[in-house]
Amino acid sequence: MRIKQPEIIYEDEAVIVCRKEAGVAVQTARAGQADMVSLLKNYRAKKKEEPYIGLIHRLDQPVEGVMVFAKTKMAAAKLSAQVSNRSMEKEYLAVTAGVPQPEKGELCDWLLRDGKTNTSTVVAKGTPQAKEAKLSYEVVEVRAEGQKALVHIWLHTGRHHQIRVQFAHVGYPLYGDVKYGTAAGAYCPVALCSCRIAFKHPITGKEMEFAIEPKGKAFHI
């Protein structure tokens, strides 16, 4: 895919808030493949600024959404602390195969990541190296005569592939997610969007909030 400059939603001396398009990696070691960090470093360099970009949180490559990056090491440390203490708010919209039951609830699981396959699996509590995963959700709209649903998700922990794994585990995989839900439909990319992020500004302490609408095909048919 052709990689273009990320859409900047907000920028000041400490942070850059932008939209990550689906298909773009947040950060990659692959030579010649553009990612969000390198694109933003180049963006700063072209403005004759120090090309520092602090990575605060991640989004899977096939997922779109709003992200915040730090422009200084101090800002990075303060924003990362908000991620660690779970005061940074993250909300998502997803399209699921089928309608989750109940239509409003919470998913609590233990996930184990496999670095060799780049996947995560729901495992029993107490499994070595497994991490607790929690999210809340609510069905916003039932579509296609009950064949799919638009779901609003509040993420309480930030585990590897968390939303995708947890919904697939309960039988409602996300559309387009061939990694975790082969029956989820032939859409690409994954029907998941980080639609809202809220945090305290690392310098001023002001409450900051940014929201976007998903562009993905599965959200609009």
Side-chain angles (χ1 to χ4, degrees), residues 3-212:
I3 305 298
K4 60 182 181 179
Q5 173 63 42
E7 175 189 343
I8 306 296
I9 299 171
Y10 173 84
E11 180 180 6
D12 60 23
E13 73 282 359
V15 301
I16 296 178
V17 179
C18 60
R19 174 192 283 270
K20 185 187 91 66
E21 300 291 344
V24 181
V26 172
Q27 189 176 44
T28 180
R30 295 181 182 177
Q33 181 177 335
D35 57 46
M36 292 296 293
V37 171
S38 62
L39 288 169
L40 291 173
K41 284 182 176 180
N42 291 338
Y43 164 75
R44 294 200 67 191
K46 288 179 180 178
K47 296 201 300 176
K48 308 299 182 183
E49 297 178 358
E50 179 187 357
Y52 173 84
I53 291 293
L55 179 58
I56 309 304
H57 60 117
R58 296 178 180 273
L59 282 179
D60 299 346
Q61 186 166 339
V63 175
E64 63 177 306
V66 60
M67 297 188 70
V68 58
F69 295 86
K71 295 176 69 174
T72 69
K73 290 183 179 180
M74 182 180 73
K78 290 188 175 182
L79 288 171
S80 294
Q82 293 181 49
V83 173
S84 297
N85 64 28
R86 301 180 184 177
S87 62
M88 181 177 288
E89 299 175 18
K90 301 175 189 175
E91 297 178 26
Y92 293 76
L93 287 172
V95 177
T96 59
V99 182
Q101 298 297 322
E103 293 191 8
K104 181 177 182 180
E106 187 174 84
L107 298 181
C108 300
D109 296 294
W110 288 81
L111 303 186
L112 182 64
R113 181 175 182 176
D114 185 335
K116 293 181 180 180
T117 61
N118 191 35
T119 59
S120 289
T121 307
V122 174
V123 296
K125 181 179 180 180
T127 300
Q129 300 183 328
K131 295 182 178 180
E132 189 176 21
K134 289 184 178 182
L135 62 81
S136 301
Y137 71 89
E138 182 174 4
V139 172
V140 176
E141 182 182 354
V142 176
R143 299 176 175 177
E145 298 181 342
Q147 296 301 305
K148 61 181 181 178
L150 178 65
V151 183
H152 193 162
I153 300 161
W154 292 263
L155 199 60
H156 305 310
T157 56
R159 307 307 182 200
H160 178 253
H161 293 175
Q162 179 180 337
I163 294 172
R164 299 162 65 185
V165 175
Q166 288 191 277
F167 276 94
H169 179 70
V170 292
Y172 306 100
L174 305 193
Y175 268 79
D177 195 350
V178 295
K179 179 168 284 191
Y180 294 106
T182 55
Y187 296 102
C188 186
V190 176
L192 180 61
C193 174
S194 172
C195 63
R196 176 183 175 272
I197 190 169
F199 56 91
K200 287 186 177 180
H201 192 279
I203 305 301
T204 66
K206 179 183 177 181
E207 297 286 348
M208 310 289 285
E209 178 182 2
F210 302 93
I212 62 171

